[in-house]
Amino acid sequence: MRHVHVRRAGAVALLGLAAATHAQTSLWPLDADKVTAAIPGIPAGVGWPSPPLGDGPFLIESLRPEHRNLRVVVVARGLEQPWSIAFLPDGDMLVTERPGRLRLIHDGVLAPAPVRGVPGVRAGGLQGLMDVALHPRFAENRWVYLSYHRPDGEDAGETRLARGRWESGALVDVRDIFATGATGTEGSRIGFAADGKLHMTVSAPGVGPAVLRSQDPQDYAGKTIRLNDDGTIPRDNPFVNDSRYLPAIYTLGHRNGHSMTLNPWTNELWVTEQGPNGGDEINVLRPGGNYGWPLVSHGRVYSGQAISPNPTLEGTVPPLVYWVPSIAVTGMTFYQGDVFTAWRRSAFVGGLREGEVPRTGQLQRIEFNDRWEEIRREPMLRELKQRIRDVREGPDGLLYVLTAEVDGAVLRIEPAG
């Protein structure tokens, strides 16, 4: 395996480059000053907040004639920056709010009080309470997992993984089962692989010199990690016997991961990843793979320059799908149900805005052929002008969508008529 030299603060750090194919390939020496000079902070954007969401239902149309006429129903509102949904076996929903609350929607009604037992959260900037996921054997053990930013100093929050047991409408025996040590990070998502191992995204800072952390094998920022369900490290992790790497690292070279979704047809984990202005991605995780950020990107910085002269590079894993311009891609689900049969095998992804233009939030349906090559993308819900944070298939075979607003809502997409 070859290596990349990174000059940082006058020192040279040796970074291992692990491709999914473990190809014997080298990258040019990475000069931190040259790389980060093209990655400034985010300039002031256009201040145009999303309009209030109406009462609904809203009638929309889809490309597929089998599901042409659809209705969007407001299930619940009054959620502050909702981030993630998990369905309990009885059909009730757990919804995270980024400021640090877990909410229960019971029989279609939002419970007025937050769920008890959530650990203290550092909420600010792009940090807070992130994902919620149930153990694959939840019916037996009642385990609920939360990824969140734990307060750490005045301006930092450490990405952590907590686990508690669902009991009588509350979380009990809650404790952190994995501490990444990574502060100043952004989004985080949780997902279970087909073998039952837990995977989590740990995002890197999106701009500035700290983006180089994605390539640092001694930093969990900009990585996906793989754990046993109790937070311990599996013995067969790709770098567990390589002292140059932190042992929970599964893949590296990521920017800001916003989903961790099992493809039920391939048993692969798919991750949506936000680029800057262009370069959003869907990546299929390969053990030990380096996904290239910030050495490789289809994106541009917010002021217009290309992130990298190389949209692809030997030794890194290319994205399966990418967006130029970005839609600020967020949560993802695969449709498997019996209600929208023509949508089976489609991936649905949320988006906060397109091309840095406010009021362009949307849901996209991505259709694939039998080889998982993209056929088309269908934008949906743009007429609502809401930022979309997450999408999940419910146990009833309908799609449930979160709007990423201060006055956020849960929406349900169902057949009209």
Side-chain angles (χ1 to χ4, degrees):
M1 188 158 43
R2 304 296 181 91
H3 303 89
V4 184
H5 291 278
V6 179
R7 300 183 184 89
R8 179 165 42 194
V12 177
L14 192 63
L15 302 185
L17 176 67
T21 58
H22 299 286
Q24 297 300 309
T25 175
S26 61
L27 302 182
W28 71 86
L30 176 58
D31 190 314
D33 294 333
K34 291 180 180 179
V35 172
T36 60
I39 309 178
I42 301 175
V46 178
W48 195 17
S50 302
L53 180 68
D55 294 333
F58 310 99
L59 298 179
I60 64 172
E61 292 184 327
S62 171
L63 168 70
R64 294 299 299 249
E66 303 93 330
H67 312 307
R68 178 64 44 82
N69 298 309
L70 303 168
R71 179 171 55 223
V72 181
V73 176
V74 180
V75 176
R77 58 174 73 234
L79 293 155
E80 185 177 359
Q81 292 282 349
W83 231 86
S84 179
I85 308 173
F87 284 92
L88 295 168
D90 61 4
D92 286 353
M93 284 180 272
L94 295 176
V95 181
T96 57
E97 292 179 300
R98 194 163 59 83
R101 295 178 294 270
L102 181 64
R103 307 298 298 274
L104 174 66
I105 298 177
H106 173 65
D107 288 339
V109 178
L110 177 66
V115 172
R116 299 187 308 276
V118 175
V121 171
R122 193 272 180 186
L126 298 174
Q127 296 190 339
L129 181 58
M130 301 275 101
D131 211 359
V132 55
L134 307 184
H135 193 283
R137 299 192 307 278
F138 175 83
E140 303 170 21
N141 56 38
R142 314 292 288 176
W143 289 123
V144 176
Y145 294 80
L146 300 171
S147 62
Y148 74 105
H149 294 94
R150 182 183 178 90
D152 184 4
E154 294 182 3
D155 273 330
E158 178 193 358
T159 302
R160 288 206 175 190
L161 176 67
R163 185 177 74 170
R165 195 173 68 255
W166 183 250
E167 187 175 291
S168 302
L171 290 177
V172 299
D173 299 331
V174 178
R175 66 181 183 90
D176 290 341
I177 60 171
F178 192 81
T180 67
T183 61
T185 52
E186 297 185 5
S188 177
R189 291 284 189 179
I190 309 165
F192 283 88
D195 63 0
K197 301 301 183 187
L198 185 149
H199 294 248
M200 185 170 78
T201 66
V202 184
S203 295
V207 296
V211 298
L212 293 174
R213 294 172 62 186
S214 294
Q215 292 292 332
D216 186 345
Q218 292 294 319
D219 187 344
Y220 280 120
K223 315 299 189 298
T224 69
I225 62 175
R226 179 175 182 260
L227 304 168
N228 296 314
D229 64 0
D230 61 356
T232 57
I233 296 171
R235 296 179 181 178
D236 59 347
N237 270 9
F239 301 116
V240 73
N241 295 315
D242 189 337
S243 62
R244 296 171 300 173
Y245 292 81
L246 294 175
I249 292 176
Y250 189 68
T251 62
L252 64 158
H254 300 281
R255 185 175 184 266
N256 196 349
H258 274 263
S259 74
M260 181 67 77
T261 308
L262 182 67
N263 182 326
W265 287 275
T266 68
N267 284 335
E268 299 166 327
L269 285 169
W270 288 30
V271 174
T272 56
E273 182 174 336
Q274 286 187 358
N277 190 2
D280 287 358
E281 299 175 350
I282 295 177
N283 287 302
V284 180
L285 297 189
R286 309 294 186 212
N290 188 323
Y291 290 76
W293 177 262
L295 306 175
V296 180
S297 177
H298 289 274
R300 295 179 176 272
V301 298
Y302 298 97
S303 54
Q305 315 96 289
I307 291 289
S308 168
N310 299 287
T312 61
L313 191 65
E314 185 181 0
T316 63
V317 185
L320 181 70
V321 176
Y322 66 89
W323 283 263
V324 177
S326 292
I327 62 167
V329 67
T330 54
M332 175 170 62
T333 195
F334 288 93
Y335 188 77
Q336 308 173 60
D338 296 324
V339 177
F340 303 112
T341 54
W343 285 354
R344 284 182 183 148
R345 290 173 52 95
S346 289
F348 286 82
V349 300
L352 302 175
R353 65 183 182 275
E354 185 170 357
E356 300 301 308
V357 177
R359 298 191 170 200
T360 57
Q362 60 195 272
L363 183 71
Q364 284 196 3
R365 183 181 69 88
I366 306 175
E367 194 172 327
F368 298 91
N369 64 19
D370 291 341
R371 297 183 300 277
W372 294 99
E373 297 164 333
E374 179 188 352
I375 297 174
R376 61 178 60 88
R377 304 177 197 181
E378 179 184 7
M380 305 172 71
L381 306 186
R382 285 194 59 162
E383 53 268 73
L384 302 183
K385 300 182 180 180
Q386 302 290 297
R387 292 155 45 88
I388 303 302
R389 176 64 70 186
D390 201 8
V391 55
R392 302 292 172 100
E393 181 186 336
D396 54 7
L398 303 177
L399 286 176
Y400 290 78
V401 177
L402 286 182
T403 67
E405 308 292 350
V406 174
D407 183 12
V410 179
L411 310 178
R412 183 176 65 237
I413 301 175
E414 60 189 35

